Amino acid sequence: VLGDRDGGGRGRAGRGARRSPRGLALEALTQVEAGARANELLGRLLDRCGLCERDRHLVTELVYGTTRMRRACDWLVSTHLRTRTDPVVRAALRMGAYQLAFMGTPAHAAVDATVAEVSGPGRSVVNAVLRKVAAEVDRGLVTWPDRATMLSYPDWLAARLVYDLGADVAWEAMEQMNQPAKANERPDGYIQDPASVAVAAHLAGFLGRPGARVLDACAAPGGKASALCSTDDPDRLVVGADRSLRRLRRMASNFARLGSPGSVALAADATSPPWRQASFDLVLIDAPCSGLGVLRRRPDARYRVQETDLGRLARLQRQLIEAALPSLRPGGILAYCVCTLTKAETAAQDNWLARAHPELEALPPPPEPFVPAGRGGLLLPQAAGTDGMYLLVTRLGSAGVM
Ligand SMILES: C[S@@+](CC[C@H](N)C(=O)[O-])C[C@H]1O[C@@H](n2cnc3c(N)ncnc32)[C@H](O)[C@@H]1O
């Protein structure tokens, strides 16, 4: 129950009042804290909000920015907060602090407009705390306890990236991933980050043979699979498989909308593949991963991913690679790709593969701005303002899988 405790508050938006951008953002932030995924939820809320384009942008910036900078915003309000807060008050405090410290919104607008969205006893708390934060920001008196708080990353995550990438590269990557992502539209209208465009283009370079058979074993929503379809080669087959039926439906409708020639969407668990052995010329494992290279686009992911996930994901990635190998015809290409930056999911996987499968010969990594990592290539988010991505391309010897 909201508003029944010390510092309690109630969002106006929740009572059927006409939606303002801040009211809608507050509702979204409250739901994100309760477990909703920011990118999925926001799309749904914006679809039925009736706000103009400018206000929709404001909602997006408030929700993505406040979520991304949640740890930093909590630090800003924490020194002025004397009472327990409920989810609406917490969301309002964070959203207000975000506008003051990171959006440069004038204090009167940020504080008044945010306070106006909260009713009940929590309203006075939000008002008092945000006025203190505004004064502190205005006088340049904010002192951060450490860099991870200032950039709003969990300690373990900052420490892991610093350990894996080196301090300078890691902090630069973390700063870059606090910038909003720009939408990149392919010529066919599909929205795809340039990092994924580059991966698909690099792989397409290995598909010289007419009628090549391509498998993207973890393919939904079909971004790379659709890019591997060819209008020049009517005989090329691109099988996009995925275990998630919900995501598979999205891929099938993307294939239909884009008119991806030769594409097939297939429900399958790639750890126990249903397709015939030695049947593909190129197999892509675009594996489930910690997603730490795409934090710009998934603002809540940094708090969702746990350190203990990394070992589990690395094991699953190896399992997917092992299971995919028999699908390759002799001389075929196996590509492993992840949208993350941890060593355990990138260069360490290459070390393992080199030892476990010497029959796979590594092929040159993609060109700059990728940089070598093991025998693969790592695209850092700061290199070209894209997602972070790792790609390793290998060729199976003519004797087949050993
Ligand atoms: C990184 S995403 C793929 C992105 C996609 N290739 C693209 O470019 O649009 C990873 C996908 O792997 C799928 N997945 C996870 N475990 C799987 C499994 N065992 N078999 C098949 N797909 C799996 C997830 O459902 C998710 O859609």
Side-chain angles (χ1 to χ4, degrees):
V1 180
L2 302 176
D4 63 346
R5 285 185 280 144
D6 264 354
R10 183 197 288 272
R12 285 187 184 284
R15 296 182 304 164
R18 195 176 160 276
R19 291 296 167 89
S20 69
R22 283 181 178 79
L24 193 62
L26 193 56
E27 180 185 336
L29 287 167
T30 313
Q31 290 191 39
V32 168
E33 198 183 353
R37 284 179 194 261
N39 53 343
E40 293 171 9
L41 170 75
L42 195 60
R44 283 199 301 276
L45 288 179
L46 288 177
D47 274 351
R48 49 183 157 86
C49 70
L51 290 173
C52 67
E53 198 58 29
R54 207 184 58 158
D55 285 348
R56 291 158 69 96
H57 273 124
L58 176 59
V59 176
T60 305
E61 157 92 70
L62 288 171
V63 174
Y64 270 49
T66 305
T67 303
R68 203 180 282 126
M69 301 312 287
R70 188 169 89 194
R71 183 175 185 197
C73 293
D74 282 349
W75 165 259
L76 290 172
V77 301
S78 62
T79 45
H80 308 296
L81 200 57
R82 300 274 170 270
T83 131
R84 283 195 309 151
T85 54
D86 68 33
V88 173
V89 168
R90 254 196 317 280
L93 287 170
R94 288 169 175 159
M95 189 172 83
Y98 177 72
Q99 295 166 78
L100 292 165
F102 300 107
M103 275 178 78
T105 311
H108 63 273
V111 177
D112 293 353
T114 304
V115 169
E117 297 301 334
V118 183
S119 60
R123 185 178 179 131
S124 58
V125 175
V126 174
N127 187 38
V129 171
L130 287 185
R131 285 192 191 287
K132 288 182 184 157
V133 173
E136 212 171 59
V137 170
D138 195 43
R139 289 191 221 121
L141 294 178
V142 176
T143 49
W144 299 102
D146 50 57
R147 214 165 168 182
T149 308
M150 181 177 80
L151 294 180
S152 201
Y153 285 84
D155 287 333
W156 78 265
L157 176 42
R160 173 60 82 117
L161 291 182
V162 165
Y163 184 81
D164 283 355
L165 301 171
D168 290 349
V169 170
W171 288 116
E172 210 189 324
M174 286 185 265
E175 275 181 32
Q176 176 67 34
M177 290 191 290
N178 279 347
Q179 304 305 316
K182 292 190 200 80
N184 179 61
E185 194 172 322
R186 294 193 320 211
D188 62 1
Y190 189 82
I191 304 290
Q192 188 176 42
D193 187 78
S196 290
V197 173
V199 165
H202 189 68
L203 296 180
F206 297 102
L207 295 175
R209 192 171 82 85
R213 290 169 186 266
V214 178
L215 168 68
D216 182 345
C218 301
K224 296 187 189 72
S226 58
L228 290 168
C229 294
S230 169
T231 40
D232 297 335
D233 177 3
D235 295 327
R236 183 180 297 176
L237 172 74
V238 177
V239 177
D242 207 278
R243 192 184 59 173
S244 156
L245 285 182
R246 183 179 61 85
R247 290 173 64 85
L248 193 79
R249 271 195 286 274
R250 246 178 88 199
M251 175 160 63
S253 85
N254 281 337
F255 284 165
R257 182 169 52 84
L258 299 168
S260 309
S263 63
V264 177
L266 183 74
D269 183 339
T271 60
S272 49
W275 38 84
R276 230 185 308 135
Q277 298 203 347
S279 44
F280 290 100
D281 298 287
L282 187 151
V283 176
L284 168 62
I285 308 290
D286 190 7
C289 69
S290 57
L292 299 179
V294 293
L295 297 178
R296 298 176 312 158
R297 290 191 288 114
R298 297 183 202 153
D300 43 348
R302 67 184 70 190
Y303 313 106
R304 205 183 287 279
V305 178
Q306 301 296 312
E307 192 164 18
T308 47
D309 293 336
L310 301 183
R312 179 184 55 78
L313 286 163
R315 281 192 295 281
L316 173 61
Q317 290 153 4
R318 290 178 189 195
Q319 205 186 345
L320 286 164
I321 294 173
E322 287 281 10
L325 277 175
S327 316
L328 269 183
R329 68 161 177 80
I333 303 286
L334 176 85
Y336 168 75
C337 176
V338 277
C339 56
T340 196
L341 307 172
T342 66
K343 209 167 237 171
E345 298 170 272
T346 59
Q349 298 295 42
D350 172 52
N351 281 340
W352 160 76
L353 194 64
R355 273 182 280 113
H357 289 285
E359 71 275 24
L360 291 168
E361 169 210 357
L363 298 176
E368 281 184 356
F370 282 78
V371 289
R375 297 173 303 165
L378 182 66
L379 179 58
L380 291 161
Q382 63 266 43
T386 66
D387 287 348
M389 189 83 56
Y390 177 78
L391 177 64
L392 170 68
V393 187
T394 63
R395 189 193 299 280
L396 179 62
S398 49
V401 182
M402 282 161 31

